[in-house]
Amino acid sequence: MIEVKDLHKTFKQQEVLKGISFSIEKGETVSIIGPSGSGKSTLLRCLNLLEVPEKGKVKIGEVGYDATHITKEELALRKVTAMVFQEYNLFANKTIIENITTPLTVVKKMTKEKALVIAREQLKKVGLSDKEDRYPTQLSGGQQQRVAIARALALNPQVILFDEPTSALDPELVQEVLKVIKSVADENITMIIVTHEMSFAHQISDKVIFMDQGQIVESGTAKQIFDHPQIPRTQQFLARYRGDTDYII
C-alpha cells in the first residue's frame, strides 16, 4: 500500500531525514513517535510533497514519485492523501459546511448537491451536525479539529496523515479528538499519525515507528515497541511515559 525508500531531506545544510525506509499495509494504523526535532512531521509532509525531499522514492497505492525527477505524479499523490494539521487549517471566512464542501467541489469537481450530502454525513460521524452553519472561530479547538478530520474523510483518500492532531489543544479537549481518530481507525482506513500521546499510540496502532535524529531507530507492533523495546534509545524515550494513562480511549 505505502512504500518509502531511502528518503532524504535537508533544511539549510541540516539533514533532517537520513535515509528513511518503511512500508505500510492497507488498513493499518501506524504511529510515528520520537522526541521533538527528530524529523517526524517532515517525514509526513514529504509523503504528500508538502515538502520535497532531495532523494528517495514514495509510492502510495498506484501513484508515487522519485525525488530526483518529480513530474505530474506529484498532483496524483496529493489526490490520494488527506492531511489533518496541528492548527486545523480551516478557512476562517467559510462556514463549517463550506470548509468541507469546498475541496470536494474545487478539487474533485463534485456537484454542490453531492458535496453537501457527503459533508453532512461526515459531520454526523464526528458529532457536529448542529454546527454546519457556524464559523471556525465559533467552535472550540477540539471541535475545529473534528471538522478538519471530517474534511479529510470527505475526500475519501487512500491514506489520512495526522500531524500531531492534539498538540494545539487544551488538555480537556484532547480526549474528544482522540475518540474520533479511534473511530476512523475502526473503519480500517489507512492512517499515519505523528503523536506525543503514547498511551493512545499504544492502543490504536498496528505498527509503531520510533524516530530519533532523522532516522528510524526501531519499528514493530505496538506491543513490541511499547512493551519490549530492544534499542536503548527507544527504552530511554519510553521510560518517561510509563504509567501514562491520561488518554486511553
Side-chain angles (χ1 to χ4, degrees):
M1 168 61 180
I2 301 175
E3 290 282 346
V4 178
K5 295 182 179 179
D6 197 30
L7 211 60
H8 290 257
K9 177 62 181 176
T10 302
F11 290 112
K12 297 180 180 179
Q13 300 184 334
Q14 179 184 356
E15 195 174 15
V16 179
L17 299 179
K18 304 173 183 177
I20 299 292
S21 299
F22 63 89
S23 62
I24 295 173
E25 299 298 324
K26 184 176 181 180
E28 282 189 324
T29 296
V30 177
S31 291
I32 303 176
I33 64 172
S36 298
S38 57
K40 305 184 300 296
S41 292
T42 298
L43 170 58
L44 211 65
R45 294 172 69 86
C46 284
L47 296 183
N48 64 356
L49 287 171
L50 289 178
E51 298 287 353
V52 180
E54 292 81 36
K55 179 184 176 184
K57 296 180 180 179
V58 172
K59 188 174 183 182
I60 299 177
E62 298 302 315
V63 298
Y65 71 82
D66 183 332
T68 59
H69 182 64
I70 295 176
T71 61
K72 290 181 180 179
E73 291 175 335
E74 169 184 347
L75 298 177
L77 193 76
R78 287 176 177 166
K79 287 181 179 179
V80 301
T81 64
M83 193 159 185
V84 177
F85 298 88
Q86 296 178 34
E87 300 286 351
Y88 330 130
N89 282 29
L90 300 178
F91 298 110
N93 62 334
K94 293 182 181 295
T95 63
I96 297 310
I97 198 75
E98 289 170 341
N99 264 278
I100 302 174
T101 58
T102 298
L104 298 176
T105 56
V106 174
V107 177
K108 296 216 163 190
K109 309 301 181 185
M110 202 175 284
T111 65
K112 185 177 180 181
E113 291 73 21
K114 186 176 180 181
L116 278 170
V117 170
I118 292 173
R120 284 174 176 146
E121 179 183 343
Q122 298 307 329
L123 276 179
K124 184 177 180 180
K125 281 186 181 180
V126 301
L128 293 173
S129 294
D130 60 334
K131 308 293 185 185
E132 69 171 61
D133 294 323
R134 302 282 182 89
Y135 286 87
T137 55
Q138 296 175 298
L139 271 57
S140 70
Q143 289 172 330
Q144 289 184 63
Q145 193 62 292
R146 284 153 61 193
V147 172
I149 295 170
R151 179 177 60 186
L153 288 168
L155 291 167
N156 193 29
Q158 292 185 32
V159 57
I160 302 180
L161 310 173
F162 292 85
D163 186 10
E164 299 191 24
T166 60
S167 65
L169 299 177
D170 293 332
E172 65 267 21
L173 301 177
V174 170
Q175 190 87 348
E176 65 182 72
V177 173
L178 294 182
K179 283 183 178 179
V180 170
I181 295 173
K182 186 177 187 303
S183 71
V184 176
D186 290 342
E187 295 183 24
N188 293 319
I189 296 171
T190 309
M191 305 194 305
I192 304 177
I193 308 170
V194 169
T195 183
H196 288 290
E197 310 293 352
M198 294 299 110
S199 57
F200 179 70
H202 191 173
Q203 182 187 4
I204 198 175
S205 305
D206 298 299
K207 184 183 295 181
V208 175
I209 294 171
F210 174 65
M211 288 184 65
D212 190 27
Q213 297 183 9
Q215 297 177 307
I216 293 177
V217 176
E218 190 171 356
S219 64
T221 65
K223 184 174 180 61
Q224 287 170 337
I225 298 301
F226 284 103
D227 295 349
H228 307 288
Q230 300 299 304
I231 308 300
R233 183 66 187 96
T234 315
Q235 295 168 355
Q236 178 188 20
F237 177 80
L238 290 176
R240 292 181 295 165
Y241 295 97
R242 296 298 180 215
D244 167 24
T245 59
D246 287 350
Y247 301 122
I248 290 180
I249 303 303

